[in-house]
Amino acid sequence: MHAAIIMDGNGRWALARGLPRLAGHRAGAEALRRTVEAAPGAGIGVLTLFAFSSDNWRRPPEEVAGLMQLLAEHLRSETTRCLENGVRIEVIGRRDRLGGELPAAIATAESATAAGEKLQLRIAVDYSGRDAIAEAVRQAAHAGLVCRECLEEQLGPPVDLLIRTGGEQRLSDFLLWECAYAELIFSRRMWPDFDASDLEAAVRQFHARQRRFGALPPLPAVVPTGAQAWLD
Ligand code: IPE
Ligand code: IPE
Ligand code: MG
């Protein structure tokens, strides 16, 4: 199963505790580590995590610099553990605007863990779904054929389950193509509080959903009566 997570709510988590936003991001890195550890047990083979969007450059430079440094530190400290646990790290998104130690940390993490087969961990940094689609189209056109399969190959596997923490219900330019038939699950939990039981609950909810991909269901659908019209 390919699960993707928009890890949102670090800033509000920190604010609620009277802490600087960066403390929220640091706690978020812990949640990331917990989630990666729990993913294979939850039946997840590919996990794509949104760490920094191309629109996040709009934030104050101190927060951006702190996030970049935190990401580099996280990659460095987690590479050995990932190697031991069969986790293959891959970073998606633009590389040309990343500074400091991050490009080197990415290259080391990716090459050191390249043989991992238990979990494919894709971390989206300076990522924009619209830019990713535009780039895939450019590449396909360059190769002489723009087709659905060609783009899929460039972009990555379709997402089965998309989770967003932090209470917002939007995609914020994440995996737009890949989420064509993703089951969407939104949690009010702020990302630093997310744990293995939340991941398992989301996966359970996913399995309770009926995916139809446009076809008809094997059993006729039961229409709930008296339920409120709008989903929460
Ligand atoms: C998600 O948390 C992390 C990044 C976007 C880098 P936020 O920093 O967006 O936290 P909130 O949404 O302000 O609480
Ligand atoms: C999306 O969160 C990006 C990441 C979680 C990395 P944002 O906090 O940037 O999204 P918006 O601004 O609320 O849409
Ligand atoms: Mg946010």
Side-chain angles (χ1 to χ4, degrees), residues 7-13 21 25 51-52 56 59 63 67:
M7 307 183 290
D8 195 24
N10 295 351
R12 281 164 286 163
W13 182 92
R21 290 181 59 85
H25 295 313
F52 188 88
N56 289 147
R59 295 188 180 195
E63 180 170 350
L67 275 165

Side-chain angles (χ1 to χ4, degrees), residues 2 13 21 27 78 151 155 179 189 222 232:
H2 180 189
W13 182 92
R21 290 181 59 85
E78 290 307 301
L151 296 189
L155 292 165
C179 281
R189 188 93 70 220
V222 178
D232 193 2

